[in-house]
Amino acid sequence: MDLFQFFTPCFILDEVEFKRGVNGFRTALEERFEEVALGYSVKTNSLPYALRLAEAEGCMAEVVSHDEYQLARKCGFSPDKIIYNGPMKSKETFIEAVENGGIVNLETKRELKWLESLPADGRIFNIGLRLNINISHVSPEDADGEDDNSRFGFSDESTEFAEALDYISSLGNIRIAGLHIHRTAHSRSPRFYERSVAYAASVIKKYNLNLDYLDVGGGYFGIFPNKPTFRDYAEAFYRPLHSYGLDNLSIIVEPGNALTASPFKFLSEVIDVKRVDEKTRFVTTDGSRNDIDPFFNKKDYLREIIRRELDRPIEPLQIVAGCTCLEYDRLFSLFNEPRIEPGDRILYNNVGAYTMTLSPLFIRLWPRVYAVNENGEIREVRREACASDILNMDLNQNIIQDNDE
């Protein structure tokens, strides 16, 4: 693919790689479970084109706010194809999702009260309940510190999980259909998921819950060499459920990074080079660390440098930086490599997870996005943002224009 045909900066979505991740995870799960569902994590990458692609591949949309819920609806997901998690639900969308068969996992105590607003018309409404997971207690080897607790879910280490069960039971028209146990460990190890599922299974047995599903959440590796595979995770779910006699449950996963990281690339162009001393050249690009590393915690990137000419002098040190005015917007350094010049391009691979959703309105607005299909055809699926996009949200715009006149 000729990378000089794209306008930069831009993201490039490889549709084949995206579909490979979806189908690979689904196939691995179906080898062990009769009923499975993949929830595309909207918070990880909310590009509407990617949502529509996920819907076409049979994914559900996993959303964690009323804004994401509305986006998923506008991208073609019916309420019964949405997994609704997180504390930022609105009452209106919560009621709509529950009434129309969505998978709604309760996160907050206010949602318990909202259940009272469901119609008393003889129907039984299904909901899920999020179970709090303390990694230090469930899988110490995967914990981040001595007390790797969580602020999410209802805890069975206190009285709150049992109290939630009692309250729901008292309503009469609500059935607990599933548990949600989303918790991510830095290791992303199958061992952690096996132990988390085992803990959930013990809670299910403790309260004699008759469930339809277990929602294991996200946090998995994707298709990467020398990392756990989708089959490894599926086996980690299956073993404890089988030992507790619960392998008949439907399994829901909410892969974000595993589906969105590898299909997306980010392409930038060198726009300037300057020398600050005899050894050091600074290379400025039209991209930024905000685009590919919004947490600013990566040590290096999977990258390719595309030089317009190959025969160039060797430079002792070249520091590649972004386009912002931040001194620390430095991406990587090159030692004793051929010179980089304006017009050259730098491609960053595996950058689709959390980058686009965390990209700030800082100095440069959102870049273009292209998609490449299985035939190698390229289409622009999101235009570059401009000042008018920001002004369209400004309620004082007319006042300012009138004053100018």
Side-chain angles (χ1 to χ4, degrees):
M1 183 167 54
D2 179 13
L3 293 175
F4 290 101
Q5 64 186 305
F6 297 96
F7 290 99
T8 64
C10 66
F11 285 95
I12 303 170
L13 167 60
D14 182 341
E15 295 185 21
V16 173
E17 182 67 16
F18 181 88
K19 294 175 183 178
R20 186 165 76 104
V22 170
N23 294 324
F25 211 155
R26 180 183 291 120
T27 298
L29 292 171
E30 288 177 342
E31 289 176 358
R32 281 302 194 183
F33 301 97
E34 289 190 14
E35 296 290 337
V36 303
L38 271 70
Y40 176 86
S41 173
V42 175
K43 65 181 175 293
T44 308
N45 192 307
S46 59
L47 179 72
Y49 189 83
L51 266 70
R52 296 187 183 102
L53 193 61
E55 195 274 337
E57 290 300 304
C59 292
M60 302 181 74
E62 188 264 328
V63 302
V64 293
S65 70
H66 52 86
D67 289 329
E68 289 188 354
Y69 180 90
Q70 297 289 7
L71 177 62
R73 295 284 285 116
K74 289 181 179 295
C75 287
F77 290 91
S78 58
D80 64 329
K81 296 299 181 183
I82 293 177
I83 304 164
Y84 205 174
N85 296 325
M88 269 302 291
K89 305 177 183 77
S90 69
K91 183 176 180 180
E92 179 184 11
T93 55
F94 173 87
I95 296 295
E96 176 184 291
V98 174
E99 280 199 81
N100 289 280
I103 293 174
V104 182
N105 294 313
L106 273 63
E107 173 64 57
T108 63
K109 292 181 179 179
R110 69 175 184 170
E111 293 164 41
L112 290 170
K113 294 297 184 182
W114 289 349
L115 294 173
E116 297 178 8
S117 298
L118 289 163
D121 56 6
R123 285 182 289 171
I124 301 296
F125 298 101
N126 290 325
I127 58 92
L129 197 61
R130 184 166 181 176
L131 177 65
N132 180 275
I133 300 285
N134 186 319
I135 299 179
S136 298
H137 299 168
V138 171
S139 187
E141 296 92 333
D142 298 295
D144 184 13
E146 294 183 0
D147 189 15
D148 193 356
N149 61 15
S150 173
R151 66 187 183 93
F152 298 109
F154 295 88
S155 176
D156 194 44
E157 297 187 28
S158 68
T159 61
E160 292 200 338
F161 185 80
E163 290 169 356
L165 293 180
D166 289 341
Y167 179 78
I168 292 168
S169 178
S170 72
L171 297 177
N173 64 338
I174 307 297
R175 173 177 173 263
I176 298 177
L179 280 191
H180 181 214
I181 59 168
H182 176 75
R183 188 76 205 274
T184 301
H186 291 303
S187 66
R188 300 185 187 179
S189 70
R191 170 190 60 208
F192 165 70
Y193 289 98
E194 184 166 355
R195 292 174 179 176
S196 296
V197 170
Y199 174 65
S202 71
V203 172
I204 293 170
K205 289 296 186 180
K206 175 181 177 181
Y207 294 100
N208 295 312
L209 299 177
N210 181 23
L211 305 182
D212 297 332
Y213 69 84
L214 179 67
D215 185 337
V216 192
Y220 316 102
F221 281 112
I223 304 173
F224 297 110
N226 304 315
K227 298 295 183 182
T229 65
F230 294 144
R231 183 172 283 106
D232 292 333
Y233 292 119
E235 290 295 324
F237 307 153
Y238 177 78
R239 283 190 292 267
L241 290 176
H242 180 70
S243 68
Y244 277 90
L246 295 171
D247 47 313
N248 62 320
L249 290 176
S250 296
I251 293 298
I252 299 172
V253 292
E254 302 163 357
N257 184 81
L259 296 187
T260 61
S262 61
F264 281 89
K265 306 174 189 295
F266 182 76
L267 182 66
S268 63
E269 181 168 291
V270 177
I271 59 175
D272 190 55
V273 176
K274 61 179 62 172
R275 190 179 295 281
V276 297
D277 55 43
E278 292 184 0
K279 295 182 178 180
T280 308
R281 296 174 86 239
F282 274 97
V283 177
T284 301
T285 67
D286 57 9
S288 165
R289 283 189 75 178
N290 287 326
D291 295 304
I292 62 171
D293 184 16
F295 295 114
F296 277 51
N297 62 3
K298 294 184 179 179
K299 299 290 189 284
D300 203 354
Y301 310 95
L302 297 171
R303 50 182 166 78
E304 304 171 37
I305 299 172
I306 303 95
R307 296 174 174 84
R308 289 185 177 272
E309 296 93 22
L310 298 179
D311 187 17
R312 288 179 180 166
I314 300 297
E315 288 287 340
L317 175 60
Q318 300 179 88
I319 299 174
V320 177
C323 61
T324 72
C325 296
L326 300 174
E327 189 66 63
Y328 54 83
D329 186 9
R330 305 184 185 196
L331 292 142
F332 60 91
S333 298
L334 297 175
F335 300 93
N336 299 314
E337 292 198 20
R339 182 176 294 171
I340 299 176
E341 297 287 5
D344 292 345
R345 297 204 158 181
I346 302 174
L347 182 70
Y348 300 89
N349 297 301
N350 299 347
V351 293
Y354 295 100
T355 51
M356 298 166 72
T357 51
L358 286 170
S359 181
L361 298 175
F362 180 70
I363 297 181
R364 197 213 68 229
L365 303 183
W366 302 307
R368 292 178 177 86
V369 182
Y370 296 92
V372 182
N373 67 16
E374 61 271 14
N375 299 318
E377 298 167 339
I378 300 169
R379 61 184 299 192
E380 186 175 347
V381 298
R382 187 182 76 182
R383 64 171 173 78
E384 180 183 25
C386 61
S388 295
D389 297 319
I390 307 302
L391 288 172
N392 286 337
M393 302 173 66
D394 181 13
L395 299 179
N396 297 308
Q397 184 178 3
N398 293 334
I399 297 174
I400 295 171
Q401 288 177 342
D402 291 342
N403 290 339
D404 288 343
E405 293 173 0

